Amino acid sequence: MNALPELRDKSTQHRPLSGGLTHNNTLLKRSDGSLWVCKRSLGRNQSGLETEALVSTLLTPTRFVLPVEFHQSETGPQSLLRPYIEGTSMTDWAALDIEQVIILLKQVHQITHARHGKVSAPTGLTLNPAKHLTAIWRYFHSRTAEHAKLTKLYDSLYPILQAHQSLFDSLSSFVLNHGDFHPGNLIVTPAQQLIPIDWERAHFGDPAFDLALLNWHGNGPIVDSALQTRAIALYTQCPAERTLLEKRVICWSLLRLFNDYLYLTHNKLTVEKVSRFEEELKLYLAVLN
């Protein structure tokens, strides 16, 4: 990493430089004049940059592949370089063509594996959202100030997810999930193409997981029934498959909703979706039941 090119002087507001919880980004200019994004791990958590580098090899058959360079220092910090993508990112799904978004997602999901789990070593044979719910609760249960309320919620959600386990037992092949699919991780190029970035949370799993993230917003309300229905209808035209997919999307949405509420309240982050948590939970449960 001692030979990294010089920093570009001009700043930019584009998403690739906004950073995240586990890395920071800088824009670099190489000797040939090309611009590259350099992502460096901050060391607070596993950065996932190695995962992102590995995903780049899996994306080789798609139009989303980018040349990347992964560097691991002897002391642990990681760095990943990829070409800078000219374009803009959006803050809301409403600003994007949802049909184009689903076409992109289906192209990514064409990459499959017989097992689920980490991109580097998928080993699981059966997905179990109820088991994931328990893992989340074990991590947060001693860290929340709303222990009684959330214990009651966990005790009500677990049997619901477990009752729908048969939806996941039937999955015999798993797709490459982006894992952090939101408008800010999609670059709209001047040619109006969508390019997905930030693959640190990529894994092999259920396509319904990425579809559940279509209803996820950083600060605002989550549930958008019309968007969810439209996205699932675009993803598959088979009525029977669509029904099963919708139910799995809701299961993952319940899991993510519970996780987000625990994370936001634990870190004392006041956003609109915290106040609407119970209301939106009921909306999901009404569809599942």
Side-chain angles (χ1 to χ4, degrees), residues 38-108:
C38 178
K39 301 173 69 172
R40 293 184 177 92
S41 61
L42 298 178
R44 289 195 289 267
N45 300 290
Q46 291 293 327
S47 72
L49 297 185
E50 187 173 3
T51 295
E52 185 163 337
L54 182 55
V55 167
S56 70
T57 64
L58 298 176
L59 293 174
T60 300
T62 75
R63 64 180 179 85
F64 310 121
V65 63
L66 293 171
V68 301
E69 298 176 16
F70 176 70
H71 303 264
Q72 175 91 47
S73 73
E74 293 182 359
T75 57
Q78 301 172 340
S79 296
L80 181 135
L81 288 89
R82 67 157 175 80
Y84 175 72
I85 303 170
E86 187 67 39
T88 59
S89 61
M90 304 299 177
T91 58
D92 195 281
W93 290 115
L96 293 164
D97 180 348
I98 191 62
E99 185 170 353
Q100 189 180 9
V101 169
I102 296 302
I103 289 173
L104 177 156
L105 202 54
K106 290 180 72 172
Q107 288 178 314
V108 172

XYZ file of all heavy atoms in Angstrom, residues 38-108:
556
model
N -10.639 4.324 -3.170
C -9.893 3.499 -2.223
C -10.688 3.401 -0.928
O -10.944 4.414 -0.270
C -8.516 4.095 -1.954
S -7.554 3.136 -0.748
N -11.096 2.183 -0.585
C -11.848 1.938 0.650
C -10.883 1.327 1.664
O -10.275 0.286 1.396
C -13.013 0.989 0.376
C -13.982 1.497 -0.667
C -15.025 0.451 -1.043
C -15.977 0.197 0.082
N -17.100 -0.684 -0.356
N -10.781 1.968 2.831
C -9.892 1.469 3.885
C -10.709 1.074 5.105
O -11.606 1.803 5.526
C -8.864 2.542 4.284
C -7.855 2.895 3.200
C -6.826 3.879 3.739
N -5.794 4.186 2.760
C -5.852 5.195 1.903
N -6.910 5.987 1.896
N -4.871 5.404 1.043
N -10.404 -0.084 5.671
C -11.101 -0.520 6.873
C -10.703 0.364 8.045
O -9.568 0.822 8.141
C -10.780 -1.989 7.177
O -9.392 -2.155 7.400
N -11.664 0.582 8.937
C -11.421 1.421 10.112
C -11.058 0.596 11.345
O -10.677 1.141 12.354
C -12.660 2.274 10.413
C -13.050 3.263 9.305
C -14.307 4.016 9.701
C -11.913 4.228 9.028
N -11.263 -0.712 11.255
C -10.835 -1.575 12.346
C -11.840 -1.759 13.455
O -11.603 -2.505 14.394
N -13.037 -1.090 13.366
C -14.027 -1.264 14.432
C -14.719 -2.615 14.331
O -15.134 -3.204 15.315
C -15.066 -0.138 14.373
C -14.517 1.205 14.790
C -15.663 2.163 15.055
N -16.341 2.555 13.830
C -16.046 3.640 13.122
N -15.063 4.424 13.527
N -16.708 3.949 12.033
N -14.898 -3.092 13.099
C -15.531 -4.384 12.847
C -14.826 -5.042 11.671
O -13.927 -4.477 11.067
C -17.018 -4.195 12.514
C -17.786 -3.519 13.628
O -18.008 -4.105 14.674
N -18.198 -2.285 13.406
N -15.243 -6.250 11.352
C -14.771 -6.857 10.121
C -15.284 -6.012 8.964
O -16.469 -5.787 8.821
C -15.299 -8.282 10.001
C -14.699 -9.238 11.017
C -13.208 -9.473 10.770
O -12.758 -9.462 9.632
N -12.453 -9.673 11.829
N -14.399 -5.524 8.141
C -14.799 -4.551 7.119
C -15.551 -5.160 5.963
O -16.349 -4.504 5.312
C -13.561 -3.824 6.588
O -12.806 -4.697 5.775
N -15.291 -6.407 5.659
C -15.959 -7.009 4.523
C -15.318 -6.691 3.191
O -15.837 -7.074 2.139
N -14.190 -5.984 3.198
C -13.556 -5.635 1.931
C -13.042 -6.873 1.204
O -13.035 -6.927 -0.028
C -12.418 -4.638 2.163
C -12.832 -3.280 2.744
C -11.633 -2.344 2.816
C -13.940 -2.641 1.925
N -12.630 -7.876 1.959
C -12.208 -9.127 1.333
C -13.394 -9.795 0.637
O -13.260 -10.357 -0.451
C -11.599 -10.062 2.372
C -10.976 -11.312 1.773
C -10.229 -12.138 2.812
O -10.241 -11.770 4.004
O -9.630 -13.160 2.413
N -14.565 -9.713 1.280
C -15.783 -10.233 0.662
C -16.080 -9.502 -0.638
O -16.397 -10.116 -1.661
C -16.987 -10.080 1.616
O -16.781 -10.895 2.759
C -18.288 -10.485 0.934
N -15.959 -8.178 -0.598
C -16.225 -7.383 -1.800
C -15.259 -7.749 -2.929
O -15.653 -7.829 -4.098
C -16.129 -5.897 -1.477
C -16.510 -5.004 -2.636
C -16.809 -3.582 -2.218
O -17.140 -3.345 -1.045
O -16.716 -2.693 -3.079
N -14.008 -7.989 -2.587
C -13.029 -8.375 -3.603
C -13.376 -9.732 -4.202
O -13.263 -9.939 -5.417
C -11.628 -8.405 -2.997
N -13.830 -10.651 -3.361
C -14.199 -11.977 -3.840
C -15.429 -11.916 -4.743
O -15.513 -12.622 -5.760
C -14.450 -12.910 -2.657
C -14.797 -14.370 -2.973
C -13.720 -15.001 -3.865
C -14.953 -15.160 -1.691
N -16.387 -11.065 -4.367
C -17.601 -10.914 -5.177
C -17.256 -10.451 -6.587
O -17.897 -10.848 -7.562
C -18.589 -9.936 -4.511
C -19.705 -9.530 -5.475
C -19.198 -10.570 -3.266
N -16.218 -9.626 -6.706
C -15.838 -9.123 -8.028
C -15.488 -10.268 -8.975
O -15.714 -10.176 -10.187
C -14.658 -8.154 -7.916
O -13.468 -8.825 -7.572
N -14.954 -11.362 -8.433
C -14.654 -12.520 -9.287
C -15.929 -13.265 -9.664
O -16.042 -13.808 -10.764
C -13.677 -13.483 -8.595
O -14.290 -14.044 -7.417
C -12.403 -12.759 -8.183
N -16.905 -13.291 -8.748
C -18.176 -13.953 -9.039
C -18.981 -13.191 -10.084
O -19.774 -13.779 -10.824
C -19.006 -14.087 -7.756
C -18.409 -14.921 -6.624
C -19.295 -14.868 -5.392
C -18.206 -16.367 -7.068
N -18.782 -11.871 -10.145
C -19.542 -11.036 -11.070
C -18.955 -11.017 -12.479
O -19.484 -10.325 -13.356
C -19.612 -9.597 -10.542
C -20.416 -9.374 -9.262
C -20.261 -7.939 -8.778
C -21.887 -9.704 -9.475
N -17.904 -11.778 -12.702
C -17.238 -11.776 -14.014
C -18.195 -12.002 -15.187
O -18.077 -11.336 -16.215
C -16.115 -12.830 -14.046
O -15.157 -12.519 -13.035
C -15.419 -12.846 -15.388
N -19.197 -12.898 -15.065
C -20.103 -13.111 -16.210
C -21.107 -11.978 -16.423
O -21.829 -11.981 -17.421
C -20.841 -14.407 -15.839
C -20.106 -14.995 -14.682
C -19.472 -13.845 -13.976
N -21.193 -11.020 -15.512
C -22.193 -9.963 -15.602
C -21.564 -8.659 -16.080
O -20.342 -8.517 -16.150
C -22.850 -9.719 -14.234
O -21.942 -8.996 -13.381
C -23.221 -11.033 -13.557
N -22.435 -7.705 -16.363
C -21.942 -6.387 -16.782
C -21.531 -5.527 -15.583
O -21.114 -4.387 -15.748
C -23.017 -5.652 -17.589
C -24.285 -5.311 -16.819
C -25.280 -4.587 -17.698
N -26.504 -4.272 -17.004
C -26.686 -3.175 -16.251
N -25.687 -2.315 -16.124
N -27.833 -2.952 -15.646
N -21.663 -6.064 -14.369
C -21.344 -5.298 -13.164
C -19.915 -5.501 -12.693
O -19.491 -4.901 -11.707
C -22.305 -5.674 -12.028
C -23.749 -5.635 -12.410
C -24.536 -6.759 -12.300
C -24.315 -4.472 -12.903
C -25.866 -6.737 -12.666
C -25.648 -4.433 -13.272
C -26.428 -5.563 -13.159
N -19.170 -6.364 -13.357
C -17.826 -6.671 -12.906
C -16.920 -5.446 -13.053
O -16.997 -4.707 -14.036
C -17.241 -7.869 -13.689
C -17.105 -7.563 -15.167
C -15.915 -8.305 -13.094
N -16.085 -5.214 -12.049
C -15.108 -4.130 -12.055
C -13.758 -4.694 -11.622
O -13.707 -5.573 -10.753
C -15.513 -3.010 -11.082
C -16.754 -2.191 -11.408
C -17.104 -1.301 -10.216
C -16.535 -1.342 -12.649
N -12.673 -4.211 -12.194
C -11.357 -4.649 -11.708
C -11.109 -4.082 -10.312
O -11.341 -2.894 -10.071
C -10.392 -4.056 -12.735
C -11.112 -2.879 -13.308
C -12.568 -3.249 -13.313
N -10.707 -4.921 -9.387
C -10.442 -4.448 -8.027
C -9.066 -4.923 -7.584
O -8.531 -5.912 -8.093
C -11.501 -4.934 -7.014
C -12.885 -4.457 -7.400
C -11.467 -6.445 -6.873
N -8.499 -4.202 -6.629
C -7.234 -4.581 -6.000
C -7.461 -4.639 -4.496
O -7.919 -3.663 -3.902
C -6.146 -3.556 -6.324
C -5.826 -3.419 -7.804
C -4.817 -2.319 -8.062
O -4.148 -1.883 -7.093
O -4.711 -1.865 -9.215
N -7.167 -5.786 -3.894
C -7.356 -5.961 -2.454
C -5.995 -6.048 -1.781
O -5.124 -6.781 -2.223
C -8.161 -7.232 -2.175
C -8.310 -7.532 -0.709
C -9.108 -6.736 0.098
C -7.646 -8.609 -0.139
C -9.238 -7.009 1.454
C -7.773 -8.897 1.205
C -8.578 -8.085 2.007
N -5.818 -5.269 -0.712
C -4.556 -5.241 0.021
C -4.825 -5.508 1.502
O -5.692 -4.864 2.103
C -3.877 -3.877 -0.126
C -3.616 -3.490 -1.556
N -2.414 -3.704 -2.179
C -4.414 -2.909 -2.472
C -2.471 -3.264 -3.430
N -3.679 -2.777 -3.629
N -4.094 -6.438 2.076
C -4.194 -6.749 3.507
C -2.830 -6.513 4.131
O -1.837 -7.145 3.752
C -4.608 -8.204 3.708
C -4.626 -8.665 5.155
C -5.971 -8.465 5.815
O -7.002 -8.800 5.253
N -5.962 -7.916 7.008
N -2.755 -5.583 5.099
C -1.472 -5.301 5.729
C -1.172 -6.352 6.793
O -2.057 -7.082 7.230
C -1.496 -3.911 6.375
O -2.294 -3.925 7.543
N 0.056 -6.420 7.217
C 0.461 -7.393 8.234
C -0.184 -7.098 9.579
O -0.350 -7.988 10.410
C 1.981 -7.395 8.374
C 2.711 -7.916 7.135
C 4.213 -7.945 7.337
O 4.666 -7.541 8.436
O 4.934 -8.367 6.411
N -0.576 -5.843 9.811
C -1.189 -5.468 11.088
C -2.709 -5.583 11.072
O -3.353 -5.305 12.069
C -0.806 -4.020 11.453
O -1.210 -3.143 10.390
C 0.695 -3.914 11.665
N -3.278 -5.971 9.927
C -4.718 -6.211 9.898
C -5.558 -5.327 8.997
O -6.491 -5.813 8.375
N -5.313 -3.998 8.935
C -6.162 -3.129 8.107
C -6.210 -3.579 6.650
O -5.226 -4.095 6.109
C -5.491 -1.758 8.235
C -4.771 -1.816 9.541
C -4.302 -3.236 9.669
N -7.371 -3.389 6.046
C -7.579 -3.782 4.662
C -7.833 -2.554 3.801
O -8.356 -1.541 4.271
C -8.792 -4.715 4.549
C -8.694 -5.984 5.364
C -10.007 -6.758 5.354
O -11.062 -6.228 5.068
N -9.920 -8.052 5.659
N -7.486 -2.657 2.528
C -7.805 -1.614 1.561
C -8.245 -2.274 0.265
O -7.748 -3.333 -0.107
C -6.607 -0.705 1.289
O -6.230 0.000 2.457
N -9.206 -1.646 -0.380
C -9.693 -2.136 -1.656
C -9.803 -0.972 -2.626
O -10.337 0.088 -2.274
C -11.049 -2.828 -1.488
C -11.658 -3.415 -2.769
C -12.191 -4.817 -2.525
C -12.780 -2.521 -3.287
N -9.279 -1.147 -3.816
C -9.366 -0.123 -4.857
C -10.223 -0.635 -6.000
O -10.112 -1.792 -6.404
C -7.977 0.233 -5.398
C -7.056 1.048 -4.489
C -6.238 0.122 -3.609
C -6.144 1.930 -5.322
N -11.066 0.233 -6.518
C -11.855 -0.067 -7.708
C -12.014 1.214 -8.517
O -11.914 2.324 -7.972
C -13.225 -0.624 -7.336
C -14.143 0.358 -6.638
C -15.600 -0.028 -6.808
N -16.490 0.834 -6.057
C -16.871 2.040 -6.471
N -16.388 2.543 -7.604
N -17.698 2.764 -5.751
N -12.273 1.103 -9.813
C -12.437 2.305 -10.637
C -13.599 3.170 -10.156
O -14.621 2.655 -9.703
C -12.728 1.735 -12.035
C -12.173 0.357 -12.012
C -12.357 -0.133 -10.607
N -13.418 4.474 -10.231
C -14.482 5.403 -9.896
C -15.571 5.331 -10.959
O -15.293 5.291 -12.159
C -13.923 6.827 -9.831
C -14.970 7.893 -9.614
C -15.597 8.032 -8.386
C -15.324 8.754 -10.654
C -16.559 9.010 -8.187
C -16.277 9.732 -10.466
C -16.898 9.860 -9.229
O -17.850 10.825 -9.043
N -16.837 5.270 -10.522
C -17.965 5.198 -11.448
C -18.602 6.577 -11.553
O -19.091 7.117 -10.553
C -19.011 4.175 -10.970
C -18.361 2.799 -10.799
C -20.177 4.101 -11.955
C -19.260 1.800 -10.109
N -18.595 7.134 -12.727
C -19.220 8.438 -12.938
C -20.728 8.276 -12.882
O -21.308 7.440 -13.569
C -18.815 9.012 -14.302
C -19.286 10.436 -14.538
C -18.601 11.436 -13.611
O -17.396 11.271 -13.369
O -19.278 12.374 -13.137
N -21.390 9.061 -12.052
C -22.838 8.964 -11.937
C -23.330 9.527 -10.623
O -22.595 10.197 -9.894
N -24.581 9.253 -10.303
C -25.192 9.754 -9.073
C -25.922 8.613 -8.368
O -26.253 7.596 -8.979
C -26.200 10.882 -9.371
O -27.222 10.378 -10.260
C -25.527 12.080 -10.017
N -26.154 8.788 -7.084
C -26.971 7.832 -6.331
C -28.213 8.548 -5.829
O -28.215 9.768 -5.652
C -26.176 7.247 -5.152
O -25.788 8.269 -4.260
N -29.264 7.789 -5.613
C -30.541 8.350 -5.202
C -30.757 8.130 -3.703
O -30.096 7.307 -3.078
C -31.681 7.704 -5.997
C -31.530 7.827 -7.500
S -31.506 9.564 -8.053
C -31.230 9.331 -9.821
N -31.711 8.854 -3.147
C -32.025 8.693 -1.730
C -33.316 7.917 -1.513
O -33.641 7.561 -0.387
C -32.155 10.063 -1.044
O -33.175 10.821 -1.703
C -30.835 10.819 -1.108
N -34.045 7.629 -2.587
C -35.347 6.992 -2.440
C -35.634 6.116 -3.651
O -35.253 6.450 -4.776
C -36.441 8.046 -2.294
C -37.744 7.451 -1.782
O -38.465 6.852 -2.607
O -38.032 7.561 -0.583
N -36.327 5.004 -3.430
C -36.688 4.120 -4.525
C -37.575 4.816 -5.548
O -37.577 4.453 -6.729
C -37.398 2.877 -3.997
C -36.518 1.939 -3.236
C -36.601 1.619 -1.914
C -35.405 1.192 -3.740
N -35.618 0.736 -1.560
C -34.875 0.450 -2.657
C -34.804 1.085 -4.998
C -33.773 -0.386 -2.803
C -33.708 0.249 -5.143
C -33.212 -0.483 -4.055
N -38.358 5.808 -5.101
C -39.277 6.494 -6.004
C -38.544 7.198 -7.142
O -39.125 7.455 -8.200
C -40.127 7.499 -5.221
N -37.279 7.515 -6.928
C -36.496 8.208 -7.955
C -35.917 7.245 -8.984
O -35.301 7.672 -9.966
C -35.376 9.008 -7.296
N -36.102 5.946 -8.772
C -35.538 4.929 -9.662
C -36.647 4.201 -10.413
O -37.803 4.153 -9.967
C -34.719 3.919 -8.856
C -33.434 4.451 -8.213
C -32.938 3.480 -7.147
C -32.363 4.663 -9.271
N -36.301 3.617 -11.536
C -37.212 2.780 -12.308
C -37.201 1.392 -11.672
O -36.224 0.653 -11.793
C -36.739 2.724 -13.765
C -37.626 1.860 -14.647
O -38.477 1.121 -14.104
O -37.455 1.908 -15.877
N -38.283 1.021 -10.972
C -38.291 -0.223 -10.208
C -38.138 -1.429 -11.129
O -37.549 -2.450 -10.744
C -39.575 -0.347 -9.353
C -39.456 -1.506 -8.349
C -40.797 -0.500 -10.222
C -38.351 -1.343 -7.349
N -38.619 -1.338 -12.373
C -38.450 -2.448 -13.315
C -36.969 -2.656 -13.630
O -36.488 -3.794 -13.687
C -39.225 -2.168 -14.607
C -39.200 -3.337 -15.574
C -40.154 -3.163 -16.733
O -40.941 -2.194 -16.721
O -40.120 -4.006 -17.654
N -36.232 -1.562 -13.794
C -34.797 -1.653 -14.045
C -34.076 -2.225 -12.825
O -33.134 -3.003 -12.959
C -34.248 -0.270 -14.399
C -32.817 -0.276 -14.898
C -32.310 1.108 -15.248
O -32.962 2.122 -14.969
N -31.133 1.176 -15.846
N -34.538 -1.838 -11.641
C -33.941 -2.344 -10.401
C -34.106 -3.863 -10.297
O -33.165 -4.587 -9.953
C -34.584 -1.650 -9.176
C -34.163 -2.348 -7.879
C -34.196 -0.183 -9.128
N -35.294 -4.369 -10.620
C -35.548 -5.807 -10.525
C -34.765 -6.579 -11.588
O -34.257 -7.677 -11.331
C -37.057 -6.096 -10.636
C -37.796 -5.476 -9.439
C -37.312 -7.595 -10.675
C -37.318 -5.962 -8.080
N -34.637 -6.009 -12.777
C -33.817 -6.650 -13.814
C -32.383 -6.805 -13.323
O -31.753 -7.857 -13.483
C -33.861 -5.835 -15.120
C -35.247 -5.953 -15.766
C -32.779 -6.317 -16.091
C -35.443 -5.049 -16.965
N -31.855 -5.745 -12.690
C -30.506 -5.792 -12.118
C -30.408 -6.889 -11.070
O -29.472 -7.700 -11.069
C -30.176 -4.430 -11.513
C -28.832 -4.231 -10.793
C -28.457 -2.751 -10.795
C -28.867 -4.713 -9.346
N -31.388 -6.925 -10.168
C -31.357 -7.883 -9.076
C -31.399 -9.318 -9.603
O -30.665 -10.200 -9.119
C -32.542 -7.622 -8.141
C -32.443 -8.122 -6.699
C -31.186 -7.602 -6.026
C -33.679 -7.710 -5.923
N -32.213 -9.571 -10.603
C -32.320 -10.912 -11.169
C -31.015 -11.328 -11.858
O -30.651 -12.509 -11.843
C -33.494 -10.979 -12.149
C -34.856 -10.890 -11.453
C -36.002 -10.949 -12.436
C -36.178 -12.340 -13.007
N -37.414 -12.453 -13.829
N -30.308 -10.362 -12.444
C -29.009 -10.683 -13.051
C -28.005 -11.116 -11.988
O -27.257 -12.076 -12.165
C -28.482 -9.473 -13.818
C -29.232 -9.186 -15.111
C -28.700 -7.955 -15.818
O -28.474 -6.915 -15.199
N -28.505 -8.061 -17.117
N -27.999 -10.411 -10.867
C -27.106 -10.781 -9.762
C -27.491 -12.153 -9.207
O -26.635 -12.993 -8.919
C -27.152 -9.714 -8.647
C -26.393 -10.185 -7.412
C -26.588 -8.390 -9.156
